[in-house]
Amino acid sequence: MFDVVIIGAGFSGLQAAYTAQQAGLSVAVIEARDRVGGKVWSVPLASGRGCVELGAAWINDSLQPRIWAYAERFGLKVVKQRLEGRAVMQENPEARFEFPFGITPDFTPEEKRNLEYIRDHIQAESLKPGLPSVEDDDVSLDQYVRRLGALPQTIKMVNLWAQVMHGVESTEESAAWFIDYCRRNRGLLAIRADDSSGGQYMRFQDGAQSVANRIASLIGESNIHLSSPVVSIQNDKSYVSITTADGRAFTARKCILSIPSTMYRELNISPQLSQPVQAVTNGTVLGDYNKAIVCYDRPWWRDHGFNGYFASYSGPVILARDTSVDERRHFSLTCFVNGERGREWSKLYPHERRAVVLKQIAKIFKADENSEAFRPIEVFDQIWKHERFSRGALAPITKLGHLTRYDSVYGKPVGNLHFVGTEYSPEWKGYMEGALCSGEIGAQEVISAIRKGQAAKL
């Protein structure tokens, strides 16, 4: 019998296993995929110039201590997000304008004042401690900003925030969930920032999955069981029994579930989770969060003074960044195709998905049909809804009203079951840092419970 079995070898599961192991507990990690990392997935380029990040990519060296400690411990090189040059805003398929990166786009004075008012209001709310109000949880983010007097341009921008940050429309998440997400991430401005004040400051030269692989090595390969989907969990009074699809059985004092709450319903958990826990977890959804990564032989967009960043109301790409690693001669644009635009784009054939992305990139950067925009050396796309063991990204979003109604049970232990994941993190929710934080907390819950049980027996 193990002290603890961890289901899921994403960042939160790996951290939970490592923390428990360091405390002297015996651990086993069960992972459905044939790799570790979860929604962190770095894929090598055929050109040999490095890798692309199909999942999580960005970190901050001063604001995210856990992930940065691993970067230093493992000696991993990072690259800062490139900001030099002009950004582009696409208002519709035929209208675009350029602006200096880092400032409010050049809307009319009235539109700019309105947008900054709504932005500053949400920023102020996101810096308050505690859970948002029940009233804000019962309305969508779209309704919330309309009640604040948002003008059409501001409504579109707020919807873009929801698409970029969560893969949903502003009508599909509660204002409270959005504000709470910002509160756990040092405020709205920190989430949106690409400089040292925010979450999109640095990337790993050799891919974020290198961190997952190194943590797995610390835990020990013999303690990690890949390609082992779990089919049933028996949560008894004094132990937990887990059975995998290939018929293997694991028994432990405690079990840590490190998968999105949206997927709990797919596990045969006995006895069933309580009605309140089922209500909140059955109500969570994962966003349509997709990437198209276009790799070029050189960063041709910089020749024209662009930094590679653009945002779009019309899509299909709603936001893009330059994700090049110049030292490796790897030059790429990472395009996010999220929310409703992502849902429609994901239904296209692969060649159609590629074609519309390249056409939009060319239009954004004013490139003609003979431009290098249409001559990438490699193209990747990742649709997280199609991933059997992810079903979307980033963090599960609670149903309107559920965040506050079920706060007392959401993510809390049930018998010998404990729950971790970036969705539960009190800081940097939705980021790798948040996953590590939640994994630490979940492991400490298990360590305390086991030690308390041992003391009681003595």
Side-chain angles (χ1 to χ4, degrees), residues 66-77:
R66 296 170 184 84
I67 189 68
W68 185 247
Y70 278 129
E72 291 191 308
R73 178 176 184 175
F74 301 141
L76 302 177
K77 293 182 179 180

Side-chain angles (χ1 to χ4, degrees), residues 20 31 46 71 73 97 109 132 162 199 204 215 297 324 328 355 370 439 446 448 453:
E31 167 57 47
R73 178 176 184 175
F97 59 85
F204 291 102
I215 300 174
D297 193 49
S324 305
R328 303 288 170 80
N370 298 314
V446 166
S448 297

Side-chain angles (χ1 to χ4, degrees), residues 13 40 52 55 59 61 76 89 105 117 127 129 156 175 183 201 209 217 219 231 286 335 359 374 383 394 421 442 447:
V40 177
V52 295
I59 66 168
D61 60 339
L76 302 177
M89 182 76 212
Y117 165 72
L127 295 180
K156 288 193 291 185
R183 285 184 183 180
Y201 182 43
Q209 196 175 345
S217 294
I219 296 167
V231 294
L286 285 155
C335 304
K359 186 178 294 185
F374 292 104
I383 300 169
L394 297 169
I447 293 165

Side-chain angles (χ1 to χ4, degrees), residues 362-380:
K363 181 166 286 190
I364 289 286
F365 295 125
K366 298 195 295 186
D368 61 32
E369 60 186 11
N370 298 314
S371 165
E372 291 175 77
F374 292 104
R375 298 198 301 275
I377 58 175
E378 295 185 58
V379 179
F380 298 79

Side-chain angles (χ1 to χ4, degrees), residues 389-427:
F389 301 113
S390 293
R391 304 293 174 82
L394 297 169
I397 300 165
T398 53
K399 189 176 179 180
L400 261 66
H402 281 195
L403 178 70
T404 52
R405 186 178 307 161
Y406 296 111
D407 177 57
S408 63
V409 299
Y410 182 51
K412 304 301 190 297
V414 176
N416 293 309
L417 295 181
H418 297 253
F419 308 97
V420 302
T422 192
E423 65 181 291
Y424 300 125
S425 181
E427 52 189 275

Side-chain angles (χ1 to χ4, degrees), residues 7 9 22 57 110 113 161 208 228 237 246 356 375 400-401:
I7 299 174
Q22 290 299 105
E110 183 183 16
R113 285 193 299 270
W161 295 347
S228 301
K237 289 185 178 180
D246 56 2
V356 295
R375 298 198 301 275
L400 261 66

